[in-house]
Amino acid sequence: MNTSNTLDINCDLGESYGVYRTLSDEAILPLITSANIACGFHAGDPATMRLTVEGAMENGVAIGAHPGLPDLQGFGRRRMEITPQEAYDIVVYQVGALDAFVRASGGRMHHVKPHGALYNMAAEDSKLADGIAEAIYQVQPDLYLYGLAGSELIQSATRIGLRSVSEVFADRTYGADGKLTPRSQAGAVIEESGQAIAQVLQMVRDGVVISVDGTLVPIKAETVCIHGDGANALAFAQELHRVLELEGIHLSAFGLQDDDNR
């Protein structure tokens, strides 16, 4: 349960590269409080990184790095066999790249959220999670690590002394173990916006989510992820933002409730 009545809305952005362009980033930025910006491995390129950083700063949105596996063709959603050292190295590389753009624009980075398969692998594998958390801590120890609520990522952050934020998903279903339903399975993605919004409200208000088998699973909701690459991404972001404000839920990046310098 989120007892503070404050919620962060984060979105994965900056996933254009080369001649491929996503369409919703500019319109979504005013509706969110945190942006996870692709760093070139699963998506993104230098120009897109710069432009997305600038857009986030213009909208007062907290800036986070979104490091993924080096798999552009698979959009970082295919699992790869990597060691904890390799996880450390690719996260240091990508966080450093985005941080350079943030500093060049006169801003500061707020968080790191691993992407796709890297995120899901580290949510289950404590050694991979430790590699990621250690990378973030060594680069900039005051950053937040965004990780799946109740996962190894959150536990690794605690062990290393890194601040963490427990993440839930608006448009994904959950298993009875509190893990996300794999995208390879039917029903992994919630297509109906009303169902997704109802799930968010239940997670925030009641601290539980209904799993795919009907089990009530306890969950800690400090930030909710919406995806910026779907066909209805903008419409969903608008509706979720509207409903949360009507419910009296204050929207702010985690840790910045009293700080306008994002």
Side-chain angles (χ1 to χ4, degrees):
M1 183 181 298
N2 186 342
T3 58
S4 69
N5 205 42
T6 297
L7 183 68
D8 174 42
I9 301 177
N10 79 75
C11 187
D12 305 340
L13 297 176
E15 293 178 328
S16 300
Y17 58 91
V19 297
Y20 169 73
R21 314 306 299 172
T22 55
L23 302 177
S24 301
D25 285 19
E26 186 176 347
I28 283 178
L29 276 167
L31 303 170
I32 63 174
T33 50
S34 295
N36 318 308
I37 301 176
C39 305
F41 272 35
H42 76 278
D45 59 30
T48 301
M49 291 165 71
R50 174 181 56 80
L51 290 169
T52 311
V53 165
E54 291 171 354
M57 291 181 63
E58 288 169 5
N59 285 277
V61 172
I63 297 170
H66 197 35
L69 294 171
D71 182 19
L72 195 64
Q73 289 79 10
F75 195 62
R77 286 181 175 161
R78 301 184 293 192
R79 290 186 174 233
M80 298 174 64
E81 293 293 331
I82 63 170
T83 66
Q85 183 63 62
E86 289 171 321
Y88 175 95
D89 292 341
I90 65 174
V91 170
V92 168
Y93 185 98
Q94 293 176 81
V95 171
L98 185 72
D99 188 50
F101 280 107
V102 175
R103 291 175 184 270
S105 297
R108 62 176 180 173
M109 199 147 64
H110 172 262
H111 67 278
V112 177
K113 175 189 164 182
H115 166 79
L118 181 62
Y119 179 100
N120 291 326
M121 290 159 55
E124 303 169 356
D125 186 324
S126 63
K127 292 182 179 179
L128 276 183
D130 283 348
I132 292 170
E134 183 68 25
I136 299 166
Y137 187 84
Q138 292 298 331
V139 172
Q140 199 169 325
D142 61 346
L143 293 175
Y144 289 93
L145 170 58
Y146 281 29
L148 183 68
S151 72
E152 292 292 341
L153 278 167
I154 300 298
Q155 295 179 42
S156 288
T158 300
R159 283 194 297 271
I160 289 171
L162 191 66
R163 299 181 298 180
S164 65
V165 181
S166 293
E167 181 178 43
V168 297
F169 287 77
D171 63 350
R172 296 291 304 278
T173 59
Y174 287 78
D177 57 1
K179 297 176 183 177
L180 297 176
T181 308
R183 285 181 177 269
S184 58
Q185 294 184 15
V189 178
I190 299 173
E191 304 287 354
E192 206 279 312
S193 62
Q195 180 185 352
I197 290 171
Q199 175 168 283
V200 172
L201 290 175
Q202 184 179 49
M203 290 188 289
V204 174
R205 291 294 195 200
D206 303 329
V208 295
V209 65
I210 301 175
S211 71
V212 289
D213 66 1
T215 305
L216 280 178
V217 181
I219 199 162
K220 185 176 183 179
E222 294 177 325
T223 184
V224 59
C225 175
I226 61 175
H227 289 103
D229 59 342
N232 300 310
L234 177 57
F236 178 72
Q238 290 169 333
E239 182 63 10
L240 178 64
H241 190 279
R242 184 186 70 82
V243 170
L244 290 173
E245 288 196 328
L246 284 175
E247 290 289 324
I249 297 170
H250 177 62
L251 303 178
S252 175
F254 200 82
L256 299 182
Q257 289 88 342
D258 301 313
D259 182 358
D260 290 331
N261 182 13
R262 297 181 183 175

